[in-house]
């Protein structure tokens, strides 16, 4: 029970800090809290574009080649003020970021604190503050500075199953060029918004969104803007924003379809282009994690594909395998986000056993 007490104590302390993206003071406060718990280890801080992160490990300063990296993030989706006051009802801990991933992070911090010094291999705890906005200045920046890993576990919430696949992300903008005219004489112009509408219709026919959860490529038409501010003018410019989530192997096909449908004069801009995650299910560390999870929970640990993405993708695209693996919870990003307290106990034991087994 002492271990559960310690996990809940740290989780609640983290939940009370409103670590929304770019809230520099609060993000630093949470990171300092984690670092204060692990002062006996090597702590290296990183700064990039105003974002802070830390690499905490059991080796000498400057070491970068680890067997395992436990990846956690402290930033959360913004929540209502009352959600920063954690509460326990039955087996559930409620609070802002409880399952994504304040409580999960608490487990990893405490496992690392207790056991990293006893391992005969290099282990790192990577703590970032920008995962919710892409992870480019935390995880990706540390990788640019030489971090490597044989295997990575990101403590994303997975209900004690394992995510070994995730969709890739493309954020695209299409700029449409038309011809302006007076609104009373539309035939004298070429309406850029009409071009965008026609493009949306055609692309929607090629990439059909599912009506329920499915493992296929999806498209979200997220923005449509024009510089035109007048009611009585035909707009000669429009900009369409798209969020495309593609399954492994579908990237090139999607781009080909989009480029083929572009009208004359339109320009495609690729703002974000992050690859899909696809890690071999036969990976020895995945098998070990499945076996240990089953032995502790008496339930089969399944592999599944995630609709969203995490910082694991930054490792995977560089050839370093990793997975998302975390405790049971619900209501992610909602007013009633929660994590199962009993599953935190299991999660702690699973991560501990996984790390200790690797020394045998």
């Amino acid at each position: 029970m002492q271990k559960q007490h310690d996990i809940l104590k740290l989780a609640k302390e983290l939940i009370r800090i409103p670590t929304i993206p770019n809230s520099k003071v609060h993000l630093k406060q949470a990171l300092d809290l984690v670092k204060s718990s692990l002062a006996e280890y090597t702590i290296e801080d990183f700064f990039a574009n105003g974002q802070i992160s830390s690499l905490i490990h059991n080796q000498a300063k400057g070491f970068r080649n680890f067997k395992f990296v436990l990846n956690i993030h402290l930033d959360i989706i913004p929540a209502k003020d009352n959600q920063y006051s954690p509460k326990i009802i039955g087996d559930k801990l409620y609070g802002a970021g409880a399952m994504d991933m304040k409580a999960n992070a608490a487990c990893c911090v405490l496992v690392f604190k207790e056991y990293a010094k006893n391992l005969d291999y290099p282990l790192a705890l990577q703590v970032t503050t920008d995962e919710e906005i892409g992870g480019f200045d935390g995880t990706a920046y540390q990788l640019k500075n030489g971090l490597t890993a044989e295997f990575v576990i990101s403590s994303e919430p997975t209900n004690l199953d394992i995510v070994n696949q995730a969709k890739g992300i493309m954020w695209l903008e299409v700029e449409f060029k038309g011809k302006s005219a007076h609104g009373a004489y539309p035939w004298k112009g070429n309406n850029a918004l009409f071009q965008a509408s026609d493009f949306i219709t055609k692309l929607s026919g090629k990439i059909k969104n599912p009506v329920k959860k499915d493992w296929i490529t999806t498209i979200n038409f997220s923005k449509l803007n024009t510089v035109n501010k007048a009611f009585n003018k035909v707009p000669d410019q429009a900009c369409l924003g798209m969020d495309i989530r593609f399954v492994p192997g579908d990237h090139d096909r999607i781009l080909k379809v989009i480029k083929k449908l572009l009208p004359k004069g339109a320009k495609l801009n690729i703002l974000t282009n992050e690859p899909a995650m696809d890690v071999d299910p036969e990976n020895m560390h995945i098998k070990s994690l499945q076996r240990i999870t089953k032995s502790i929970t008496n339930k089969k640990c399944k592999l599944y594909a995630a609709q969203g993405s995490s910082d694991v993708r930054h490792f995977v695209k560089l050839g370093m395998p990793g997975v998302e693996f975390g405790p049971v919870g619900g209501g992610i990003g909602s007013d009633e986000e929660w994590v199962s307290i009993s599953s935190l106990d299991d999660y702690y034991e699973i991560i501990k056993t996984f790390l200790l087994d690797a020394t045998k």
Side-chain angles (χ1 to χ4, degrees):
M1 292 301 291
Q2 181 60 44
K3 189 54 60 184
Q4 184 184 102
H5 173 271
D6 293 343
I7 293 170
L8 291 177
K9 180 176 183 293
L10 180 55
K12 287 191 237 183
E13 288 177 336
L14 289 170
I15 288 170
R16 291 188 184 102
I17 306 173
T19 52
I20 62 175
N22 294 314
S23 179
K24 308 300 184 186
V25 172
H26 294 122
L27 290 167
K28 183 178 184 301
Q29 182 184 353
L31 185 58
D32 287 345
L33 174 61
V34 169
K35 292 194 294 182
S36 68
S37 300
L38 302 172
E40 64 192 287
Y41 292 100
T42 301
I43 301 176
E44 300 186 59
D45 295 325
F46 296 80
F47 304 89
N49 297 315
Q51 305 293 343
I52 56 174
S53 66
S54 294
L55 188 68
I56 305 170
H57 56 86
N58 60 357
Q59 301 295 306
K61 186 175 181 179
F63 189 89
R64 291 291 180 270
N65 305 310
F66 296 93
K67 183 177 182 67
F68 298 137
V69 168
L70 301 178
N71 169 277
I72 61 174
H73 67 84
L74 301 176
D75 55 320
I76 63 169
I77 295 172
K80 294 179 179 177
D81 289 346
N82 68 302
Q83 292 180 262
Y84 299 109
S85 298
K87 62 183 180 181
I88 294 175
I89 301 176
D91 183 51
K92 296 178 179 180
L93 169 64
Y94 288 87
M99 72 175 295
D100 186 24
M101 58 166 62
K102 296 289 182 73
N104 323 16
C107 289
C108 288
V109 169
L110 293 174
V111 169
F112 187 94
K113 177 182 176 67
E114 185 69 23
Y115 296 101
K117 58 182 171 289
N118 300 322
L119 302 175
D120 60 3
Y121 60 81
L123 172 69
L125 177 71
Q126 183 180 45
V127 192
T128 71
T129 61
D130 71 330
E131 190 272 346
E132 297 292 356
I133 55 174
F136 299 105
D137 296 316
T139 294
Y141 183 72
Q142 289 190 22
L143 285 164
K144 287 179 183 177
N145 281 271
L147 174 63
T148 68
E150 180 180 316
F151 190 71
V152 181
I153 297 176
S154 178
S155 192
E156 297 290 345
T158 64
N159 292 324
L160 294 179
D161 288 321
I162 296 172
V163 169
N164 70 312
Q165 288 184 308
K167 291 181 178 179
I169 306 170
M170 279 193 287
W171 288 351
L172 310 178
E173 283 186 347
V174 179
E175 297 179 46
F176 298 92
K177 298 295 182 182
K179 179 182 177 182
S180 63
H182 193 286
Y185 311 99
W187 56 87
K188 293 185 177 182
N190 181 359
N191 194 313
L193 287 173
F194 281 0
Q195 291 183 37
S197 176
D198 183 56
F199 175 81
I200 290 172
T201 299
K202 290 178 179 177
L203 186 55
S204 297
K206 297 289 186 180
I207 306 175
K208 297 183 182 295
N209 284 337
V211 295
K212 59 182 181 179
K213 183 178 178 180
D214 200 353
W215 185 239
I216 62 173
T217 295
T218 61
I219 184 167
N220 173 43
F221 298 103
S222 52
K223 297 187 297 181
L224 181 57
N225 305 313
T226 179
V227 295
N228 179 48
K229 302 300 180 184
F231 281 98
N232 59 346
K233 184 175 183 178
V234 174
D236 64 353
Q237 176 275 342
C239 184
L240 172 67
M242 296 179 286
D243 176 9
I244 298 174
R245 305 300 175 108
F246 59 92
V247 297
D250 212 16
H251 175 273
D252 293 347
R253 181 188 73 86
I254 294 300
L255 273 183
K256 185 177 180 180
V257 168
I258 290 171
K259 290 176 179 178
K260 188 175 181 179
L261 293 176
L262 290 176
K264 185 177 180 181
K267 180 183 178 183
L268 175 66
N269 299 312
I270 302 176
L271 307 181
T272 296
N273 193 3
E274 291 293 303
M277 181 177 112
D278 191 10
V279 179
D280 185 0
E282 298 301 316
N283 179 284
M284 62 181 291
H285 300 307
I286 291 179
K287 290 294 188 183
S288 175
L289 200 53
Q290 285 183 296
R291 174 181 54 78
I292 292 166
T293 301
K294 184 178 180 180
S295 71
I296 289 173
T297 65
N298 291 316
K299 296 179 181 178
K300 182 179 180 180
C301 177
K302 299 176 292 185
L303 300 181
Y304 73 98
Q307 301 290 325
S309 64
S310 72
D311 275 359
V312 176
R313 73 186 192 280
H314 295 301
F315 287 92
V316 173
K317 71 181 180 182
L318 295 176
M320 294 172 246
V323 296
E324 298 171 22
F325 179 67
V328 176
I332 185 169
S334 75
D335 295 348
E336 297 293 330
E337 182 171 338
W338 61 273
V339 65
S340 161
I341 295 171
S342 58
S343 82
L344 293 177
D345 296 337
D346 288 340
Y347 186 62
Y348 179 96
E349 289 300 319
I350 292 165
I351 297 298
K352 177 191 80 173
T353 305
F354 175 83
L355 296 177
L356 293 177
D357 274 8
T359 67
K360 297 176 180 177

